[in-house]
Structure formats: structure tokens, C-alpha cells
Amino acid sequence: MKIEVFGPGCYRCQQVEKTVRDALSELNISADIEKVKDMGKIVEAGIMLTPGLRIEGKVVCSGRIPKIEEVKKWIEKVK
Amino acid sequence: MDKRTIFAVGIIILIFGIILVYEWGGAWKGYKNTMEQSDIITARVLEEKHIPIYMLIIVTTIEYIKNSWLCLLLAFIAAGALQEFVPKDKVIKVMGSNRGFVPYLIGGAGGPLLSMCSCSIIPIFGGLYKRGAGLGPSITFLLAAPAVNPAAVLLTLALLGWKFAVARIIFAIGAGILVGYITERVMKDKISAPEPIHIEAGADTGPEQKAGYVKRILNMLLYSWEFVKIVLPLILLGVIFAGLIKAFLPPAFIVKYLGVGIFPIMLASAIGVLMYAPSMVEAPLIRGLLESGMGTGASMAHLLTGPALSLPSILGVCKIVSPKVPVVYGTLMWICGVIAGLTFWFLVPAFLI
């Protein structure tokens, strides 16, 4: 599974990455987590409000830090 | 307008109402007094040369926190309210969908609704531009938003006084619109239009839609706490820098290069264009410099160009548009900084708290 976290590397983006890691370990699933910091790529992905989260090529949330339950739901949906 | 938006607007107006009543109402007097007292303490410390330098830094820190804690608290609550209650995706849609002069106005005034953190501006700029909002309004947003976000304005109000706060809002929006408009005029034929990109529809951008009001207010406070964790270290950094400046940079040096006159204003404006400072640092920093002899014009020039522009932001923008564009708006913004500095220097010749 491919999970991308979009953001220039500020506090909120790190929180999203942490939430994703926690969700993965709670579900016992392994995935590639990629941090995308390049502004050009963030814009190309169609994300305007960072931090953004993309799971398997689908943007699931942007502009906020999702709750761990939400992340779990999104991961299980594409599993 | 659904019920939710009306409720959101109500909450935000309420918060800003409290701030206004507090600042201009009876509490103003007591607030002023504490300010004067703490100034006297610093002056006394400054006179006694044998006091170690770290004490000066500690005193500066305490004094600044004393002056700004209430405004800061309200700023954090306001930031939380904006984050929880403003439907950001809708604001972006409005910004990108109009023609003529209206997008410029929204670009200038809509910034505060969308962003608190200066690092999140560039993706919004890129998104607006690629969605077809036009180069001009996108640049207006990029330049005005960091300088007029509520937290920065309230901090300016607390540490530098209302004249600086009001002038900052007017100059930032005015310069943003002007620079955006001229850049679009100049660059229109020189760069190709952006390839439209597909924006994922239905991506969840807002908080849960159906939560009850009590839960939403709790959410709002949670967001506020989040902002405290991000912004407070930055402010402390600024305050410590201010203390360091007061301790180590001799006032004569500051007066010479950043004092009164046209050259200091030009220099301060140029430093603002190039230097990177997180958008909360500049208010305490400028106050430290003002207390050591910086001119009011130079301060205003720096407050205008500082948060709007920096080398990292220019490099980020280069990845979205042709590098010529940042060169053009950087130069224009520098000129605007000089003009704003001169105007403010003419209106407010000296810094008095």
C-alpha cells in the first residue's frame, strides 16, 4: 500500500505522518509512507491546503489533521 | 447561507467584538498602566550596567509576555474558530471563480480566513493559480495573507500599538493588490497559461459536517491548543532575539543603519524581502529594534515585506511559475515597502507606547 503525506514539513504535517504510523501499527499493516515536500508535486496532486494525505492515489483529506479512527477507516477501505 | 455558516460568523464576530471592547473600553487604561510600569523596570535595568546580560533577556521576555498575553490568548481562540468554522474549500472556490477586480479584493482580504501558518501559503497559491484564478489575484493572496492573519495582527497590536496594527493591514492589502495587478499586466504575454489540473472532487477538506455545536466548540478549543503548540515557540524565539538585540547590538549601530531616513527604510525593506522569518517572530523582533533606536518607517517597511516574502518562499514559487514572476513581484514589493515606510514615517514619526 502506498501512502503519501503532503506538506512542507511543518508541525501539522508531522502530526499527520505520526497519526498514519499509529494507525498502521494498530491495524498491523505495513505500507510505504512517502513524505512529499516538493511544492510543485503538492500542487500537481491537487492539494491546496496542507497537510494532505493520499492513500493509493486518492486524496482522502487535506487542510487538517485527521483523527486516528478516520485514518484506520480509509486504510481498511482500500486494503 | 446555511445555519452552520451563520453560527460560524456569529462566533467569529463575538470573539473580535470582545477584543475590540477590551482594547477600546475601560480595560484599556489598566492595560496601559502595566505597559508603562514594565517599561520603567526595563529602563532601570538598562541604566545599571553591572546587571548581567542574561537578566536583560529575561526582563525583556517577561515584559513582552506581560504586554501580549491577553491578545495572544484571544488570537489563539480566534485562530481555532477560523479553523473549525470556516468552510475553506468554499472560500477557495469563491476566490477562483470571479473575474475583474473582485478576485483581487478577495485575494487581499480572504487570506486571514484560510491560513495561519506561513508555510501553508504556497500550495494555496499554486492551487489558485492552476485552477485558473489568474496570476494577479494569486499573487495578491500570496503577499497579503501572511501579513494580515489574525494572530499576527493581534500580536502587532499588543506589542507595537494600534497604529502599527492598522497601518499594517491597510498597507499589506493595498500593496498586495497593487503588486498582483502590475505583475499580471507585465507578465501576461511573457509566460504561458498554466495547464489546468484535475482537482480531486469530494476530498474531505472540512471537519465533520454534522457534529453538534458543543462538540464543535470543543473542537475549536482543540485547534486553538494546536496553534498554541505551533506558534508559541516561534513567538518565544522572536522575544529571545529581541532580548539578544537589546543586549548585544549597540543602539548606535541600529540608529545608523535602521534609524530615521530613506536609506534605512530601503535597507529594512530589502532585508524583509530576502530574510526568512516565521510570521509570528517579526512583531517582538521589531519592538526590540524600535526600543534600540530603529525608525518607525524602517519598521513598517520590514513588517510589510518580511512575512510576505523570503528567499525560501520565492524558490517555492519558482517551482510553480516561471522564475521571472517572483523577480518582478519581489522588486515591486520592495518598492511598496519603501513607499509604505515613508508614508508611515511621515504619519508616525516616533515610536511611543
Side-chain angles (χ1 to χ4, degrees), chain B residues 79-96:
Chain B
L82 289 173
Q83 175 79 21
E84 171 67 21
F85 293 111
V86 172
K88 293 184 182 184
D89 43 343
K90 278 183 200 157
V91 176
I92 289 174
K93 228 176 256 168
V94 172
M95 279 169 96

Side-chain angles (χ1 to χ4, degrees), chain B residues 179-193:
Chain B
V179 172
Y181 183 74
I182 297 174
T183 312
E184 171 147 324
R185 273 292 142 110
V186 172
M187 300 306 294
K188 212 175 188 178
D189 311 316
K190 295 196 179 117
I191 54 167
S192 49

Side-chain angles (χ1 to χ4, degrees), chain B residues 251-260 263-265 267-268 271 294 298:
Chain B
F253 180 83
I254 295 170
V255 170
K256 189 175 172 198
Y257 290 103
L258 294 171
V260 180
F263 172 72
I265 291 174
L267 182 68
I271 294 172
M294 190 187 199

Side-chain angles (χ1 to χ4, degrees), chain B residues 185-251:
Chain B
R185 273 292 142 110
V186 172
M187 300 306 294
K188 212 175 188 178
D189 311 316
K190 295 196 179 117
I191 54 167
S192 49
E195 286 169 39
I197 50 160
H198 171 71
I199 303 279
E200 195 94 23
D204 182 5
T205 48
E208 291 152 71
Q209 305 285 317
K210 281 178 190 132
Y213 288 149
V214 176
K215 185 151 185 291
R216 303 206 58 158
I217 289 171
L218 278 177
N219 267 348
M220 174 185 110
L221 293 176
L222 272 178
Y223 278 123
S224 298
W225 175 238
E226 226 172 69
F227 284 118
V228 172
K229 283 194 285 187
I230 305 167
V231 173
L232 211 55
L234 292 177
I235 295 171
L236 281 177
L237 190 76
V239 170
I240 289 167
F241 263 119
L244 286 173
I245 286 170
K246 281 164 93 176
F248 291 108
L249 268 186

Side-chain angles (χ1 to χ4, degrees), chain A residues 8 10-12 15 37-40 42-50 57-65 67 70 74, chain B residues 83 88 92 119-120 122-124 126-128 130-131 197 199-200 203-208 219 223 226 229-230 316 319-320:
Chain A
C10 59
Y11 175 82
R12 289 157 61 79
Q15 283 304 106
K37 289 185 178 174
D38 185 278
M39 280 301 161
I42 294 176
V43 171
E44 263 165 44
I47 286 166
M48 293 179 73
L49 298 161
T50 55
K58 188 178 183 305
V59 179
V60 288
C61 113
S62 73
R64 68 196 177 94
I65 302 167
K67 293 193 175 61
E70 292 176 276
W74 293 325
Chain B
Q83 175 79 21
K88 293 184 182 184
I92 289 174
C119 62
S120 60
I122 294 173
I124 302 180
L128 281 173
K130 296 221 165 175
R131 271 186 181 186
I197 50 160
I199 303 279
E200 195 94 23
D204 182 5
T205 48
E208 291 152 71
N219 267 348
Y223 278 123
E226 226 172 69
K229 283 194 285 187
I230 305 167
K319 289 182 177 158
I320 298 161

